[in-house]
């Protein structure tokens, strides 16, 4: 084994490990692989970037644009919706028609797009027929995978496998070369799910309905968290807005409605003013009020700006403005890293001569406002030297107190002996979020801890030096004494009107918000919507959702104005599953879009144009005929997948040129030659299928197709037969939700667990393996 082979195998092993663990984004892994192979001279620089001009890349991107044209004009939705209406009330008939429709559409469109498009349609049918969505959504996802085997353009692995044949000097697959075996596989898969698999599928009803009462009484069980609060006449909460009341940040309550005399204010915003005797309908846990008892013994000490000399000597104040060319422009404090990178705190923002000290979490830097920052002089100077500021002036504590009145907002919070907050970290105390404060320092005896980390533990007699509103503890005292009442299901009906309602959404297959919290997305601020609950795997989460990190497969129940809900239709990160009418399609372009798609299929079928030219021509025609705009065309392309494939193609070149492909083919496939051709097919299918459960299927195709072709040449077998086995294995991602994006798409909405896929998928994997071993050779003879 040569040094080059060892290096390429090491890169391959690292890439597979990162794909499986998802420690890094898959596209970043692929591009890093490309650069490493190029920098270390394993492949030339030209070979490294050659993947971007590969015909497979052009074809895949063009097919995605064609699919977007069919979606935007409503061709697929209208066709699918009309066909599904024929199902009537028979569950078997419904499943057959649904899966045949989805499979057929997946043969000419991107299968992820088909699943996302048909998801709301299937959900509506489930609601209309009174069936649990969990009985239909795995069949929907699997049917799109079945359809991926029926034509060359159905899925990226098919195109990449065909391209691998062409790169070896062989004729590529034709448009319908996949169809005979693919149709049989699809029919077998549908029959299995209809007559056996549907009995294995879980029967979980998440309570989805266009009625908010039915919705909240479903498996989200929000009716158990519906409470009412009445604001007492002399409460400090009266005349404060919802944001100032701290109901959300301190108690984790979502205020759904305010009943004021004979009027009901639905989906109130953060600026809505509270009045004495208001009755608030809120979603939350009753015992959240009990957690405030931890803070009942806290006391305020003021005067930290004036008179505390040791503090004044250690911490300095500056007035500053952001430079026009600063990288901070448009960013929040957290995004800019002013605290983490420079260890300073911006305690106030002066806008139009008004000083703002609270609710700065969402503030974004601009050049107009004056900022008041506090920190140690060396850290403040470091910020100034970073060239991010246009003005920078040290100011005395007394000037800050007199000019900006901040002496009222710099507060000391004393932790007494009997406080339950002793030994808790700042993060676990929840003081920062609940009180809306910013912890600048901790005075501990004679020592001062500046800019303490969130993990710093509180101790008896600590004094937290914070910036915040002086009346914060008064507000908390009011919250501690609130009287809560359970609400009946009848009260839920008050929460919906023609203007206000609920919708269920999920993360789209191409979302960019995975790993981010609801708070980091500024979901409430951006959309004006309240997240009532999040369904993940087999349970609902209903409290403290602002700090909840989103994952692929999550389903979110959101509440608010219908016009705000409609804004989500234009968001690439979210897919509306129920609660809103379908978007308006360009129905006047239906025939044009359908004609373009048929034209592409026809020209490829008769051999007049190669697939990448025909598909690119069709994509351009979709734009020229205004079926979609150029911006929509760019948005339709899954750039993450394009980067992944281009990067992995460079690895494929390195494997071939270094001899790794031949080596792996020998040890993995040729070693099975004693089992005969059927044994080789079974081994190749099993390896490919297992990889497809944990790796992107496009990457699996790039790695496995060259190995299969090389092994075929060495063993005297048909490269087309073994390449087709790789295609079947790549599309058999049935065992886990992470096997394919369509599996993740339906996971949260269907309330599925990981094991649900495994239970239903194992028989399918076996059936597809039998098709590869015994049926495929009937159409693709094994011997050359």
């Amino acid at each position: 084994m040569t040094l080059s082979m060892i290096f390429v195998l090491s890169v391959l092993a690292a890439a597979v490990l990162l794909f499986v663990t998802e420690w890094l984004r898959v596209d970043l892994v692929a591009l890093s692989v490309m650069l490493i192979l190029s920098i270390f001279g394993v492949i030339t620089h030209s070979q490294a970037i050659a993947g971007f001009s590969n015909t497979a890349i052009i074809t895949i991107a063009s097919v995605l644009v064609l699919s977007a044209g069919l979606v935007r004009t409503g061709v697929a939705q209208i066709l699918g919706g009309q066909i599904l209406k024929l199902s009537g009330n028979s569950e078997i008939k419904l499943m057959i028609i649904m899966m045949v429709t989805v499979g057929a559409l997946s043969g000419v469109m991107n299968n992820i797009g088909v699943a996302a498009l048909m998801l709301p349609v299937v959900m509506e049918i489930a609601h209309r027929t009174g069936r649990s969505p969990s009985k239909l959504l795995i069949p929907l996802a699997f049917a799109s995978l079945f359809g991926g085997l029926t034509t060359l353009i159905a899925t990226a692995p098919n195109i990449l496998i065909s391209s691998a044949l062409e790169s070896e000097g062989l004729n590529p697959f034709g448009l319908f070369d996949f169809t005979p075996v693919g149709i049989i596989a699809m029919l077998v898969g549908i029959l299995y799910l209809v007559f056996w698999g549907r009995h294995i599928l879980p029967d979980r009803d998440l309570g989805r309905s266009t009625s908010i009462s039915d919705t909240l009484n479903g498996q989200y069980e929000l009716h158990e968290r519906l409470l009412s609060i009445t604001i007492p006449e002399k409460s400090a909460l009266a005349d404060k807005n919802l944001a100032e009341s701290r109901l959300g940040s301190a108690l984790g309550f979502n205020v759904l409605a305010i009943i004021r005399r004979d009027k009901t204010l639905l989906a109130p915003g953060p600026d809505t003013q509270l009045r004495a005797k208001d009755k608030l309908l809120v979603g939350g846990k009753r015992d959240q009020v009990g957690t405030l008892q931890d803070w009942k013994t806290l006391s305020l000490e003021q005067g930290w700006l004036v008179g505390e000399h040791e503090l004044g000597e250690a911490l300095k104040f500056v007035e500053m403005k952001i430079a026009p060319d600063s990288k901070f422009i448009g960013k929040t404090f957290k995004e800019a890293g002013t605290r983490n990178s420079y260890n300073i705190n911006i305690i106030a923002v002066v806008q139009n001569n008004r000083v703002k000290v609270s609710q700065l979490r969402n503030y974004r830097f601009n050049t107009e406002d004056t900022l008041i920052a506090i920190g140690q002089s060396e850290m403040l100077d470091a910020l100034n030297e970073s060239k991010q500021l246009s003005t920078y002036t040290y100011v005395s504590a007394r000037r800050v107190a007199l000019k900006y009145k901040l002496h009222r907002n710099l507060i000391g919070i004393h932790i007494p002996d009997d406080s339950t907050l002793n030994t808790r970290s700042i993060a676990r105390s929840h003081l920062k979020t609940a009180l809306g404060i910013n912890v600048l320092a901790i005075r501990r005896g004679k020592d001062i801890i500046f800019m303490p980390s969130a993990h710093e533990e509180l101790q008896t007699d600590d004094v937290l030096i914070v910036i915040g509103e002086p009346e914060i503890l008064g507000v908390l005292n009011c919250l501690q004494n609130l009287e809560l009442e359970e609400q009946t299901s009848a009260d839920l009906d008050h929460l919906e009107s023609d203007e206000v309602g609920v919708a269920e959404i999920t993360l789209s297959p191409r979302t960019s918000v995975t790993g981010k919290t609801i708070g980091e997305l500024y979901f409430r601020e951006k959309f004006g919507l309240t997240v009532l609950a999040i369904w993940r795997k087999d349970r609902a989460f209903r409290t403290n959702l602002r700090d909840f990190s989103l994952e692929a497969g999550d389903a979110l129940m959101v509440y608010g104005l219908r016009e705000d809900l409609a804004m989500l239709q234009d968001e690439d990160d979210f897919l509306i599953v129920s609660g809103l009418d379908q978007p308006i399609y360009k129905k006047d372009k239906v025939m044009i879009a359908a004609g373009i798609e048929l034209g592409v299929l026809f020209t490829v079928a008769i051999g007049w144009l190669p697939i990448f030219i025909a598909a690119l021509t069709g994509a351009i025609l979709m734009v020229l005929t205004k079926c979609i705009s150029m911006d929509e065309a760019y948005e339709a392309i899954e750039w993450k997948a394009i980067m992944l494939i281009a990067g992995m193609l460079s690895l494929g070149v390195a494997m071939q040129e270094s001899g790794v492909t031949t080596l792996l083919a020998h040890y993995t496939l040729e070693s099975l030659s004693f089992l005969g051709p059927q044994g080789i097919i079974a081994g190749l299918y099993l390896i490919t299928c297992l990889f497809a459960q944990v790796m992107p299927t496009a990457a699996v195709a790039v790695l496995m197709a060259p190995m299969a072709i090389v092994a075929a040449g060495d063993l005297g077998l048909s490269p087309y037969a073994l390449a087709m086995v790789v295609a079947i294995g790549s599309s058999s991602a049935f065992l886990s939700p992470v096997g394919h994006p369509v599996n993740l798409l339906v996971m949260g909405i269907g309330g599925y667990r990981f094991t649900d896929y495994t239970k239903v998928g194992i028989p399918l994997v076996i059936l597809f393996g039998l098709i590869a071993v015994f049926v495929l050779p009937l159409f693709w003879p094994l011997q050359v």
Side-chain angles (χ1 to χ4, degrees), residues 217-480:
N217 276 298
Q219 194 158 333
Y220 281 102
E221 296 177 346
L222 285 169
H223 62 288
E224 297 180 358
R225 304 289 178 89
L226 190 67
L227 307 167
S228 72
I229 299 171
T230 300
I231 305 296
E233 281 199 50
K234 296 183 179 181
S235 172
L237 297 179
D239 298 324
K240 293 191 178 298
N241 62 36
L242 280 177
E244 294 168 339
S245 74
R246 320 304 299 172
L247 281 165
S249 56
L251 295 175
F253 284 171
N254 286 319
V255 180
L256 308 179
I258 299 175
I259 301 174
R260 182 171 296 162
R261 295 176 185 171
D262 56 347
K263 293 182 179 179
T264 301
L265 305 176
L266 298 177
D271 296 326
T272 302
Q273 295 289 320
L274 298 177
R275 299 282 186 268
K277 297 185 179 181
D278 278 353
K279 181 179 179 181
L280 280 58
L281 295 182
V282 303
K285 295 173 66 176
R286 173 183 286 274
D287 57 11
Q288 287 292 101
V289 176
T291 64
L292 298 186
Q293 303 304 315
D294 294 339
W295 307 332
K296 212 156 192 169
T297 56
L298 297 178
S299 61
L300 293 186
E301 300 179 10
Q302 293 182 272
W304 290 98
L305 266 177
V306 181
E308 292 292 333
H309 300 293
E310 67 270 40
L311 178 60
E313 292 173 3
L315 292 180
K316 303 297 182 183
F317 297 87
V318 295
E319 294 175 337
M320 60 188 191
K321 284 192 173 184
I322 301 300
D325 58 347
S326 172
K327 64 182 180 182
F328 292 169
I329 297 294
K331 294 183 178 179
T332 64
F333 297 162
K334 182 176 182 179
E335 292 168 348
T338 50
R339 174 152 183 155
N340 293 336
S341 299
Y342 297 99
N343 210 27
I344 69 169
N345 258 310
I346 297 173
I347 62 173
V349 175
V350 184
Q351 296 176 318
N352 300 321
N353 296 320
R354 296 182 62 184
V355 181
K356 185 176 182 180
V357 297
S358 60
Q359 300 181 36
L360 296 179
R361 180 173 183 168
N362 303 329
Y363 175 81
R364 294 187 179 275
F365 285 110
N366 62 70
T367 59
E368 302 297 325
D369 301 336
T370 298
L371 310 174
I372 312 300
I374 186 172
Q376 294 172 292
S377 57
E378 59 268 26
M379 303 308 298
L380 291 167
D381 291 341
L383 177 61
N384 185 41
E385 292 167 3
S386 69
K387 309 299 183 185
Q388 304 302 317
L389 308 177
S390 61
T391 64
Y392 173 82
T393 306
Y394 276 101
V395 292
S396 67
R398 184 170 295 276
R399 174 177 168 81
V400 171
L402 295 176
K403 182 177 180 180
Y404 300 112
K405 313 297 184 187
L406 289 181
H407 60 287
R408 298 175 303 179
N409 301 97
L410 276 169
I411 304 165
I413 299 180
H414 178 246
I415 310 294
D417 292 341
D418 57 349
S419 175
T420 57
L421 295 178
N422 291 330
T423 71
R424 288 194 192 180
S425 67
I426 293 176
R428 288 183 56 235
S429 73
H430 301 296
L431 285 169
K432 184 175 179 180
T433 302
L435 304 180
I437 59 175
N438 205 348
V439 181
L440 306 179
I442 298 176
R443 183 181 180 182
R444 184 169 292 161
K446 295 182 179 180
D447 298 325
I448 295 180
I449 303 171
F450 300 105
M451 308 301 174
S453 75
H455 304 294
E456 181 71 31
E457 290 189 354
L458 302 177
Q459 297 182 14
T460 297
D461 283 331
D462 276 354
V463 177
L464 277 65
I465 304 167
V466 305
I467 182 81
E469 299 292 346
E471 65 270 21
I472 49 178
L473 289 186
V475 171
L476 284 182
N477 184 58
C478 292
L479 295 179
Q480 291 167 350

Side-chain angles (χ1 to χ4, degrees), residues 578-619:
S578 63
L580 281 182
D581 295 332
Q582 292 301 302
I584 299 173
Y585 297 103
K586 297 181 180 179
K587 294 185 179 180
D588 57 323
K589 303 290 184 180
V590 166
M591 298 307 296
I592 296 174
I596 291 172
E597 179 72 19
L598 291 174
V600 170
L601 297 177
F602 179 75
T603 54
V604 174
I606 65 174
W608 183 42
L609 291 174
I611 180 65
F612 66 96
I613 293 295
L616 182 58
T617 302

Side-chain angles (χ1 to χ4, degrees), residues 452-754:
S453 75
H455 304 294
E456 181 71 31
E457 290 189 354
L458 302 177
Q459 297 182 14
T460 297
D461 283 331
D462 276 354
V463 177
L464 277 65
I465 304 167
V466 305
I467 182 81
E469 299 292 346
E471 65 270 21
I472 49 178
L473 289 186
V475 171
L476 284 182
N477 184 58
C478 292
L479 295 179
Q480 291 167 350
N481 297 310
L482 287 175
E483 293 184 4
L484 307 182
E485 298 176 6
E486 301 286 351
Q487 293 303 111
T488 64
S489 297
D491 295 307
L492 295 171
D493 296 325
H494 295 301
L495 301 180
E496 191 172 32
S497 70
D498 292 338
E499 292 78 30
V500 176
V502 293
E504 188 172 26
I505 64 175
T506 188
L507 304 191
S508 74
R510 294 189 295 165
T511 187
S512 61
V513 303
T514 303
K516 296 181 180 179
T517 67
I518 298 294
E520 289 171 341
L521 295 174
Y522 303 105
F523 192 90
R524 176 69 184 267
E525 294 80 6
K526 182 178 180 180
F527 299 110
L529 301 173
T530 298
V531 179
L532 299 179
I534 297 176
W535 183 271
R536 175 174 296 169
K537 296 178 182 176
D538 59 345
R539 62 168 296 191
F541 297 86
R542 292 157 295 201
T543 54
N544 299 319
L545 298 180
R546 186 175 183 85
D547 299 320
F548 199 91
S549 295
L550 296 176
E551 294 180 3
D554 285 348
L556 286 72
M557 184 66 68
V558 296
Y559 174 69
L561 295 174
R562 296 189 190 277
E563 62 184 30
D564 291 335
L565 292 169
M567 290 173 57
L568 292 173
Q569 293 179 331
D570 298 324
E571 287 293 313
D572 290 335
D573 292 320
F574 301 102
L575 177 67
I576 297 177
V577 178
S578 63
L580 281 182
D581 295 332
Q582 292 301 302
I584 299 173
Y585 297 103
K586 297 181 180 179
K587 294 185 179 180
D588 57 323
K589 303 290 184 180
V590 166
M591 298 307 296
I592 296 174
I596 291 172
E597 179 72 19
L598 291 174
V600 170
L601 297 177
F602 179 75
T603 54
V604 174
I606 65 174
W608 183 42
L609 291 174
I611 180 65
F612 66 96
I613 293 295
L616 182 58
T617 302
I620 295 298
L621 288 175
M622 285 287 188
V623 176
L624 291 176
T625 56
K626 297 184 178 181
C627 293
I628 57 173
S629 67
M630 197 65 185
D631 288 340
E632 289 172 330
Y634 281 123
E635 291 171 1
I637 298 173
E638 295 179 31
W639 295 107
K640 181 178 178 179
I642 296 298
M643 298 298 120
L644 166 68
I645 294 167
M648 292 307 295
L649 285 172
S650 67
L651 179 58
V653 171
M655 291 173 61
Q656 288 177 299
E657 296 209 345
S658 65
V660 168
T661 298
T662 302
L663 178 71
L664 293 178
H666 173 73
Y667 280 105
T668 59
L669 297 179
E670 294 176 29
S671 60
L672 298 174
S673 58
F674 72 95
L675 296 174
Q678 268 76 22
I680 294 171
I681 286 180
L684 176 60
Y685 169 79
L686 182 61
I687 294 170
T688 306
C689 177
L690 291 177
F691 272 134
Q693 309 309 318
V694 294
M695 286 175 57
T697 54
V700 174
V702 170
L703 295 177
M704 295 302 300
M707 289 172 50
I709 295 169
V710 168
D714 293 342
L715 296 171
L717 301 176
S718 167
Y720 296 100
L722 295 195
M724 194 64 71
V725 173
V726 174
I728 296 174
S730 298
S731 289
S732 300
F734 305 125
L735 298 181
S736 77
V738 298
H740 198 278
V742 295
N743 293 347
L744 275 176
L745 177 66
V746 302
M747 185 178 185
I749 301 300
Y752 295 122
R753 302 184 179 100
F754 190 105

